[in-house]
Amino acid sequence: MLIRRETPADVDAIRAVHAAAFAKDDGDGVPVEATLVDALRADDGWLPAYSLVAVDSDGQVVGHVVATRGQVGGEPVGLGLGPLGVLPDWQRRGVGSALMHAVLGAADARDEPLVVLLGHPDYYPRFGFGPAVDLGVTPPQPWGPQYFMARPMAAWRDSIRGEFRYARPFDDL
């Protein structure tokens, strides 16, 4: 498996990854994650360096993660991570972890101070995430603090405090 930045040729495969990864058990409808990435690409918050794919030895896209520009207290000092999706046949094989490590490494290398996400409290702490409120960063909606998590990066400053705002397409969810 290789992790690399997405290319224009990956767009349809990325949509398919998220459609399969987030498919409802009843098979009804297209999951919002499958169209969210397309909306994020068209937004000012899109940062191509943080849209990464995992590809197998044949070059097939088997996973995708994206982080987009967010704001804390009105300042562009954070990234909103997600969605992160892996094809069902590739889940529980380390693809999601590899994508997480790659996107966090990219964020740290580019001096991003903070990465936030909405996710499962049993999964994301292994990547250094904890309740965002512990850092003084509050969610844009009344999500429980155990689900709205943040990871301070090397460029973190204690002065970063306030409400987090995701890229605009998240407002439409």
Side-chain angles (χ1 to χ4, degrees), residues 25-50:
D25 290 337
D26 61 9
D28 189 35
V30 176
V32 67
E33 294 85 357
T35 57
L36 176 59
V37 177
D38 293 331
L40 289 169
R41 274 191 204 93
D43 187 76
D44 290 341
W46 181 256
L47 301 168
Y50 302 120

Side-chain angles (χ1 to χ4, degrees), residues 15-158:
R15 193 176 307 113
V17 163
H18 291 296
F22 293 99
K24 295 178 176 59
D25 290 337
D26 61 9
D28 189 35
V30 176
V32 67
E33 294 85 357
T35 57
L36 176 59
V37 177
D38 293 331
L40 289 169
R41 274 191 204 93
D43 187 76
D44 290 341
W46 181 256
L47 301 168
Y50 302 120
S51 183
L52 306 176
V53 293
V55 295
D56 68 10
S57 59
D58 295 327
Q60 176 190 0
V61 174
V62 299
H64 175 256
V65 66
V66 64
T68 50
R69 176 61 61 216
Q71 297 186 8
V72 179
E75 297 297 319
V77 293
L79 296 176
L81 194 146
L84 165 66
V86 177
L87 288 176
D89 288 348
W90 282 83
Q91 291 174 5
R92 293 178 175 47
R93 294 171 62 180
V95 176
S97 292
L99 286 165
M100 281 296 295
H101 287 297
V103 76
L104 292 173
D108 206 33
R110 295 174 61 92
D111 292 325
E112 296 289 350
L114 180 71
V115 178
V116 305
L117 56 79
L118 185 63
H120 200 284
D122 291 338
Y123 182 75
Y124 290 100
R126 72 184 75 182
F127 302 106
F129 285 87
V133 295
D134 291 352
L135 298 172
V137 178
T138 58
Q141 296 182 26
W143 296 314
Q146 70 273 27
Y147 300 108
F148 184 66
M149 294 181 272
R151 178 173 182 216
M153 307 304 285
W156 169 254
R157 301 178 309 278
D158 286 333

